[in-house]
Amino acid sequence: MTLADAHRDRRGIRILSPEVAARIAAGEVVERPVSVVRELLDNAIDAGATRITLEIEEGGLSLIRVTDDGRGIHPEDLELAFERHATSKIAALDDLGHVHTLGFRGEALPSIAAASDLELLSRVESEPVGVNAVLVAGQVVRRYAKPSPRGTSIAVRDLFLRVPARRKFLGAPGSEGRQVIVLASHYALAYPGIAFHVTSGNRRSVITSGDGDIRHAFAAIHGAEVAAAMLDVDFMDGEVRLSGLCGPSSVHRGNRAGISLFVNGRWVQSRPLTFALIDAYQAQLPVGRSPLAAVHISLPDDDVDVNVHPAKAEVRFRDERAVGRAVRRAIGHALEASRPVAWDETPAAGSVVIRALHANAPSPLRAPEPLQSSFELSRGNPDHPGVPARTQRALLPMLRVVGQLNATYLVCEGPDGMYLLDQHAAHERVVYDRLVARSTADPDGVQPLLEPLVLELEASVGSTLDEHRESLARLGLEIEPFGERAALIRSVPAGLGARDIVEEVTALLQKLGDEQRVEDPFGRAAATVACHSSVRAGMLLAMDEMRRLVEDLERTTAPRTCPHGRPTLVHLGTETIERQFGRR
Ligand SMILES: Nc1ncnc2c1ncn2[C@@H]1O[C@H](COP(=O)(O)OP(=O)(O)OP(=O)(O)O)[C@@H](O)[C@H]1O
Ligand SMILES: [Mg+2]
């Protein structure tokens, strides 16, 4: 039979040429129940299934059965499906660069059949009855026609029973079973359009509706309450498109199992991308906690190679850093859009008392300006109550400064109640954005020193300086080595000059040295310089200074967080205020 014949027929499985077969990442395809399940789910999805049932007994050791309503296997293709390097999914070497299916090697079924007793029942649309086959040690020992719904059901029994050396490496049924359920959960999030029905023993564990809404699938796995709190991710960074859900920083877990990443539809385990995602939360999560997320990453075929791992557990990116950056930006954007942090309404908040209003120029309270339609944007998102809707433009509600509290917070009136702005965090954001914007050595941002200042260096700080000197120079802080234990400060970013420069720069270098993750050294340097050039807590501000700060903040890229990820403002809604006064 030629390839053309195969296409004309409804049959389609062919044996790959030795040349193509040799290029396929070879090695162990199945090593435990979870890897068998992954292969069977992949085949069901590639067959266009809309419903997939997965049953396991004893953690998959005694039984794994996957049933789908996909296109089925043609009876004449049955034997071929169990041959090595026989696949319907690719034909030529060239296809390996454009794999649009989860499978492509023609390795899975033969590997699974070789390690188990396998039974298959399948029917294609065009055939009146299905075919049932029983395989022992990879060989078809019995086959007969049998009525069957369209689709395929494959039962894998007694995995590795005939391969004691492998069986030894398997864990207890409980632990093998858990891995299967975790995998099935990731798949349910990867394919919200497929209805999954997963049972382990007689326990139903993952059941999704397949209505295509990732939030519904997420609810099926993590619960409705968490699902409702999740933020939408929808972001385009160059050619990388990201969509899905990520948790607000208030939702976290003790491990990373709640992070699902998909690349071109494929569930992937990628440490760098997982780190990038966690990094986007910066200091917002408690130490040692991980966020929840289900993020789909789509990028051009050429930018990702799926043929690098025998069990398809990993993919390789042409530019992994760019993908990581896109992940960080997408999550950062989603988090940004979800602020401000609502007032913490724990019982203690019931007794919030505003003690002092240190307004420099206390103006009598004016009647609030009439609401403008753009204010509506901050009122909430009708699709996801509790998640503020926001466009890229209206990142901050319109704020009117009322006064200053404890020489630290600006008290502002907004479209829906009161906002407290942290003057240091807000100014940090303003300075940071300015620094980054003019980092291309704008002379206005740099304040040259007539006399260079001598900076004494501790040994540890010396290496920090070497590491960051370039970034700092781009920010206007030029520091030149000067002998073993000293350096000369030649210029400082405008704004830093008013204080004790040597002390500030020393503190800055120390802080940079303490930073553990320096994924984005320039960004970190800018954040640290911004911190040191900003208005401090405890500084009295005049009314016009406060107004200018709010105006400047409005123009920044991320007005709701400081460069370290902490909030710049909190919100006390009108409704809450009215409740406090018993008006509601
Ligand atoms: N559930 C299924 N429904 C329809 N066809 C299937 C199903 N499972 C397997 N097949 C057919 O059997 C062939 C062999 O499957 P197998 O999983 O061994 O290889 P593959 O999916 O092509 O590649 P890989 O080894 O990367 O998974 C597939 O190419 C497909 O044509
Ligand atoms: Mg396959």
Side-chain angles (χ1 to χ4, degrees):
M1 185 188 73
T2 65
L3 259 182
D5 289 334
H7 281 301
R8 210 171 301 129
D9 217 334
R10 278 187 184 276
R11 303 179 45 189
I13 304 180
R14 62 223 151 214
I15 297 189
L16 294 171
S17 72
E19 190 194 14
V20 185
R23 283 290 276 279
I24 289 185
E28 294 292 351
V29 170
V30 296
E31 45 182 20
R32 52 194 345 118
V34 67
S35 36
V36 172
V37 170
R38 179 168 199 172
E39 295 296 344
L40 296 179
L41 293 179
D42 281 357
N43 283 348
I45 292 159
D46 282 347
T50 64
R51 301 189 61 82
I52 299 179
T53 306
L54 162 65
E55 301 152 77
I56 58 169
E57 300 285 347
E58 291 183 70
L61 298 174
S62 58
L63 172 74
I64 296 167
R65 184 188 286 122
V66 172
T67 306
D68 67 59
D69 63 353
R71 70 180 71 86
I73 298 176
H74 195 281
E76 286 171 41
D77 267 346
L78 184 81
E79 267 86 4
L80 256 188
F82 291 94
E83 295 253 353
R84 288 198 64 205
H85 300 308
T87 179
S88 58
K89 300 172 191 176
I90 64 168
L93 199 55
D94 210 28
D95 297 342
L96 265 182
H98 308 274
V99 177
H100 290 140
T101 46
L102 297 170
F104 52 87
R105 310 154 306 179
E107 292 259 24
L109 288 185
S111 310
I112 297 167
S116 67
D117 289 344
L118 190 148
E119 187 171 352
L120 172 141
L121 176 63
S122 187
R123 183 172 73 81
V124 294
E125 189 73 55
S126 60
E127 294 288 312
V129 287
V131 57
N132 189 281
V134 175
L135 287 91
V136 171
Q139 298 304 312
V140 179
V141 294
R142 205 146 40 94
R143 61 175 285 176
Y144 48 90
K146 189 176 172 183
S148 153
R150 194 190 87 153
T152 304
S153 180
I154 292 182
V156 175
R157 293 200 168 81
D158 298 329
L159 188 64
F160 296 138
L161 200 63
R162 272 176 281 101
V163 198
R166 300 294 298 281
R167 184 101 181 179
K168 260 204 331 249
F169 286 100
L170 297 181
S175 106
E176 297 294 336
R178 265 192 300 282
Q179 297 176 40
V180 171
I181 302 305
V182 167
L183 175 95
S185 306
H186 289 301
Y187 268 65
L189 292 171
Y191 300 95
I194 297 177
F196 283 87
H197 193 287
V198 181
T199 54
S200 169
N202 43 24
R203 255 207 1 263
R204 292 148 44 105
S205 41
V206 178
I207 313 247
T208 61
S209 67
D211 68 359
D213 187 332
I214 191 169
R215 202 177 281 271
H216 294 164
F218 200 90
I221 288 155
H222 296 285
E225 206 175 312
V226 174
M230 296 295 283
L231 313 173
D232 285 308
V233 176
D234 186 5
F235 197 79
M236 197 71 202
D237 191 42
E239 290 195 293
V240 188
R241 200 192 132 68
L242 299 104
S243 63
L245 301 171
C246 72
S249 52
S250 55
V251 175
H252 39 75
R253 295 284 182 272
N255 60 44
R256 302 199 180 117
I259 299 175
S260 308
L261 293 172
F262 315 105
V263 173
N264 290 351
R266 204 177 277 273
W267 175 59
V268 297
Q269 286 160 290
S270 161
R271 282 172 67 86
L273 295 191
T274 304
F275 274 123
L277 187 139
I278 295 173
D279 195 52
Y281 286 81
Q282 301 192 41
Q284 297 179 54
L285 292 168
V287 175
R289 305 290 291 179
S290 298
L292 288 186
V295 178
H296 285 263
I297 304 167
S298 320
L299 65 175
D301 283 349
D302 290 348
D303 291 348
V304 51
D305 185 358
V306 297
N307 179 31
V308 292
H309 189 278
K312 296 186 282 193
E314 289 167 16
V315 296
R316 187 180 295 144
F317 298 100
R318 197 163 53 85
D319 187 352
E320 186 172 79
R321 291 174 70 92
V323 183
R325 201 171 338 118
V327 168
R328 220 175 292 122
R329 285 189 182 148
I331 303 299
H333 188 263
L335 290 171
E336 185 56 39
S338 76
R339 295 179 177 282
V341 183
W343 199 273
D344 184 5
E345 283 191 61
T346 48
S351 59
V352 167
V353 178
I354 298 173
R355 265 172 294 153
L357 266 175
H358 291 291
N360 270 14
S363 55
L365 273 177
R366 279 187 287 127
E369 285 139 7
L371 286 183
Q372 291 174 8
S373 59
S374 68
F375 288 173
E376 294 301 321
L377 287 169
S378 64
R379 282 246 162 135
N381 181 338
D383 295 336
H384 305 295
V387 178
R390 208 156 288 286
T391 64
Q392 300 226 17
R393 289 172 161 278
L395 288 170
L396 204 63
M398 201 75 95
L399 297 176
R400 185 173 69 83
V401 179
V402 177
Q404 196 184 17
L405 175 70
N406 282 348
T408 302
Y409 307 104
L410 311 195
V411 181
C412 302
E413 179 182 7
D416 175 30
M418 186 179 90
Y419 292 77
L420 279 187
L421 213 114
D422 180 313
Q423 66 191 37
H424 175 66
H427 196 214
E428 251 184 312
R429 166 56 65 190
V430 170
V431 175
Y432 175 86
D433 272 35
R434 266 188 212 145
L435 283 173
V436 172
R438 72 189 173 199
S439 63
T440 37
D442 168 359
D444 282 352
V446 185
Q447 183 182 329
L449 302 178
L450 289 177
E451 292 274 335
L453 292 168
V454 179
L455 188 67
E456 309 255 349
L457 292 178
E458 284 172 34
S460 63
V461 174
S463 66
T464 309
L465 178 58
D466 288 341
E467 198 178 316
H468 292 285
R469 191 161 49 237
E470 224 172 281
S471 305
L472 292 172
R474 274 168 67 199
L475 297 167
L477 182 59
E478 279 177 72
I479 307 175
E480 226 169 65
F482 184 61
E484 284 277 308
R485 280 292 158 103
L488 293 180
I489 306 174
R490 293 260 177 215
S491 73
V492 294
L496 194 71
R499 310 221 185 86
D500 182 340
I501 291 172
V502 171
E503 194 185 302
E504 288 290 328
V505 172
T506 309
L508 183 148
L509 289 174
Q510 231 136 31
K511 205 146 146 207
L512 274 178
D514 292 342
E515 294 277 351
Q516 284 154 350
R517 293 168 304 175
V518 266
E519 289 233 350
D520 172 15
F522 176 72
R524 288 298 149 113
T528 312
V529 170
C531 175
H532 283 264
S533 321
S534 298
V535 160
R536 291 293 148 83
M539 234 155 122
L540 279 177
L541 299 178
M543 203 62 178
D544 60 336
E545 287 177 311
M546 293 193 271
R547 287 204 196 100
R548 194 158 359 101
L549 178 54
V550 171
E551 275 163 30
D552 289 347
L553 184 64
E554 269 164 12
R555 281 194 289 269
T556 63
T557 53
R560 289 158 188 276
T561 44
C562 83
H564 303 97
R566 287 185 288 275
T568 53
L569 77 168
V570 295
H571 175 207
L572 181 58
T574 308
E575 201 186 310
T576 315
I577 298 175
E578 289 183 342
R579 245 188 286 120
Q580 299 288 328
F581 288 109
R583 287 176 181 273
R584 274 190 187 232

